[in-house]
Amino acid sequence: MERNSQTYQTYVRILERELVPAMGCTEPIAIAYCAAKARSVLGTLPDVIQIEASGNIIKNVKSVVVPNTGKRRGIAVAAAAGALYGDETAAYEVIADVSDLQKEKLPDYLESLKLTVEPAQSDYVLDITVTAAKGDSYAKVRAVNEHTNLVLVEKDGQVLESKAIENAAAPDMPDYSLLNIEDILDFADSCVLSDVEAPLARQIALNSTIADEGLKNDYGANIGKVLMKTYGNDIRNRAKARAAAGSDARMNGCELPVVINSGSGNQGMTASLPVIEFAKELKSDQDKLYRALLVSNLVTLHEKTGIGRLSAYCGAISAGAGAGAGIAYLQGGGYEEVAHTIVNALAITSGIVCDGAKSSCAAKIAVAVDAGILGYEMYRQGQQFYDGDGLVRKGVENTIRNISRLGKVGMRETDREIIRMMTESS
């Protein structure tokens, strides 16, 4: 692929835009970000906050620990932390740099804050509006479709920033429709690595560090540790365990950043850590590892483009197939090997639902990575799923389109029912 071609430059922009650091699960962080922005616009610490959030935001914030809050959970905690000590200029790292003194003020602020949460009256899967007030003054901030994509900033009836919500595309949005498996592999083969080294090096460093932390200390259900203790040191198990361990830590309040993919830290870790672990086992050089990470990240992004940021379809499944593709490439695979790996992996795990961010995400990640690895091993042994086997269609792009339709359209009512069950009083 020519370096000056539209596709090449678009892929570089997509990677720069997507592979960014985030500290904490991105849904509560999005609420904290909107609250921090609202406080900044208001010009003072609010004593009243009203939140309107879509069901997918509510389900993903309900059970996950918000970092730098003393192991607290929930929408109120995320909003209060963002308002009290969030850095509105830091996007996904809005509550990453917090002093102990600031954290000590959170319980009293939560006690005094008048905070309400209502379901957003819109059809957008990702929709957050935070209105912060003190006295007669208020500030309103709204994010739609992407966690930090602000479509409205308003103060005391005056609109300071706005953009049309139709599609609600961010102004720097590259053309994701250019993603396809054949071109992704061409790009991975031909890419001048200096063009993509910064986000990939950061992904390796940050995601490896949190995986180490998850295996070392006690987080959630400790899925990574369970895998290592139960199944041993085989490379396939290590690949699953390290990805799971990163999620163990991240879902349970670890105050370390990760590099995300498709707006998700879990997906960023799932797409990268198994590939990194296989590269160590195979003694691959840095050049090969970087190119394999290009495959895993871009395949994951390609799969997720048709589904959207949030869905009833577990995002780790897309990333696990992406990891399988990266592992296939790492071992010399080309288009045929990668395409079959993706189709096989998606056929294995296409029914796993997202019931919010929480400790069990780590176990789902382990299953997704296992499917990615099995998808490749099937190909190596001359086995595959064929056109008409369930959602599988002839050609990898057709299968990806079917899975995208399942995740975005077919599981819409499933999503609503999951949200209803998660928000009902027990």
Side-chain angles (χ1 to χ4, degrees):
M1 184 180 293
E2 293 294 329
R3 191 181 189 187
N4 61 357
S5 70
Q6 180 187 4
T7 300
Y8 183 105
Q9 293 300 320
T10 297
Y11 284 13
V12 170
R13 286 179 58 215
I14 288 172
L15 290 162
E16 291 172 343
R17 185 174 185 273
E18 294 280 357
L19 303 189
V20 296
M23 200 272 279
C25 177
T26 49
E27 280 71 58
I29 291 305
I31 288 175
Y33 171 69
C34 289
K37 181 70 174 178
R39 180 218 61 227
S40 174
V41 173
L42 184 65
T44 187
L45 185 65
D47 53 20
V48 176
I49 294 179
Q50 178 184 349
I51 297 169
E52 299 168 68
S54 56
N56 271 271
I57 293 294
I58 292 170
K59 80 174 181 182
N60 277 301
V61 182
K62 180 177 181 289
S63 302
V64 70
V65 176
V66 183
N68 279 328
T69 65
K71 297 290 185 180
R72 292 175 172 83
R73 305 168 193 261
I75 289 176
V77 169
L84 182 62
Y85 44 66
D87 177 359
E88 74 279 2
T89 68
Y92 287 106
E93 296 183 283
V94 59
I95 55 171
D97 187 13
V98 181
S99 69
D100 289 340
L101 181 60
Q102 288 173 311
K103 284 187 276 189
E104 288 171 5
K105 295 178 180 178
L106 182 61
D108 288 342
Y109 184 52
L110 278 166
E111 184 71 24
S112 65
L113 182 64
K114 296 176 182 177
L115 188 141
T116 58
V117 180
E118 299 290 340
Q121 300 302 310
S122 83
D123 293 328
Y124 297 107
V125 176
L126 194 165
D127 194 344
I128 303 166
T129 300
V130 174
T131 304
K134 189 173 182 68
D136 295 330
S137 187
Y138 78 90
K140 180 184 289 187
V141 172
R142 186 180 184 190
V144 174
N145 281 351
E146 296 192 9
H147 299 77
T148 59
N149 180 40
L150 300 185
V151 299
L152 174 69
V153 178
E154 176 183 316
K155 182 180 182 183
D156 297 333
Q158 181 180 0
V159 174
L160 306 179
E161 300 175 30
S162 71
K163 61 183 172 185
I165 297 181
E166 292 78 14
N167 299 319
D172 64 339
M173 181 77 78
D175 185 0
Y176 285 67
S177 70
L178 292 177
L179 290 168
N180 64 83
I181 301 305
E182 186 173 3
D183 283 345
I184 287 170
L185 290 167
D186 188 4
F187 176 76
D189 286 340
S190 60
C191 182
V192 178
L193 290 179
S194 60
D195 292 340
V196 295
E197 181 177 13
L200 294 179
R202 184 170 56 207
Q203 184 177 57
I204 293 167
L206 295 186
N207 294 4
S208 296
T209 298
I210 201 169
D212 291 341
E213 173 67 15
L215 287 172
K216 180 180 178 183
N217 291 310
D218 182 18
Y219 290 100
N222 293 297
I223 300 300
K225 288 182 179 179
V226 170
L227 286 166
M228 291 302 296
K229 185 174 181 179
T230 306
Y231 301 111
N233 206 41
D234 175 80
I235 176 56
R236 295 163 185 81
N237 190 52
R238 294 203 314 272
K240 293 186 290 184
R242 286 190 64 77
S247 181
D248 286 327
R250 184 170 172 274
M251 294 292 94
N252 291 280
C254 178
E255 292 162 8
L256 288 172
V258 303
V259 167
I260 64 177
N261 181 303
S262 305
S264 163
N266 279 344
Q267 290 166 54
M269 292 183 293
T270 305
S272 61
L273 287 164
V275 179
I276 295 166
E277 198 62 23
F278 263 85
K280 292 177 186 175
E281 176 75 10
L282 297 168
K283 296 181 171 54
S284 304
D285 60 24
Q286 188 180 69
D287 181 285
K288 190 68 173 180
L289 171 57
Y290 279 178
R291 296 184 190 281
L293 285 172
L294 290 176
V295 172
S296 62
N297 280 297
L298 289 169
V299 166
T300 300
L301 287 160
H302 178 33
E303 295 172 273
K304 284 290 292 181
T305 296
I307 297 172
R309 291 300 207 218
L310 300 176
S311 168
Y313 185 89
C314 175
I317 305 311
S318 300
I327 290 166
Y329 182 88
L330 201 58
Q331 298 184 73
Y335 178 80
E336 185 174 348
E337 291 86 350
V338 167
H340 280 286
T341 296
I342 294 167
V343 171
N344 290 340
L346 293 177
I348 293 166
T349 49
S350 57
I352 295 180
V353 300
C354 171
D355 53 342
K358 67 225 168 297
S359 295
S360 66
C361 291
K364 294 182 182 184
I365 284 171
V367 171
V369 173
D370 186 72
I373 295 169
L374 177 57
Y376 176 54
E377 295 298 338
M378 285 176 60
Y379 174 81
R380 293 214 303 182
Q381 296 187 37
Q383 305 299 322
Q384 68 180 84
F385 299 116
Y386 292 92
D387 181 30
D389 287 346
L391 297 178
V392 172
R393 288 294 174 265
K394 186 174 179 61
V396 63
E397 301 298 342
N398 291 323
T399 298
I400 289 173
R401 273 191 288 273
N402 263 9
I403 297 298
S404 296
R405 180 178 167 188
L406 170 69
K408 186 168 187 174
V409 180
M411 298 180 79
R412 195 172 288 156
E413 184 55 37
T414 301
D415 208 19
R416 295 189 185 107
E417 190 61 31
I418 288 169
I419 292 163
R420 281 193 288 268
M421 287 190 286
M422 289 183 66
T423 55
E424 286 174 354
S425 299
S426 56

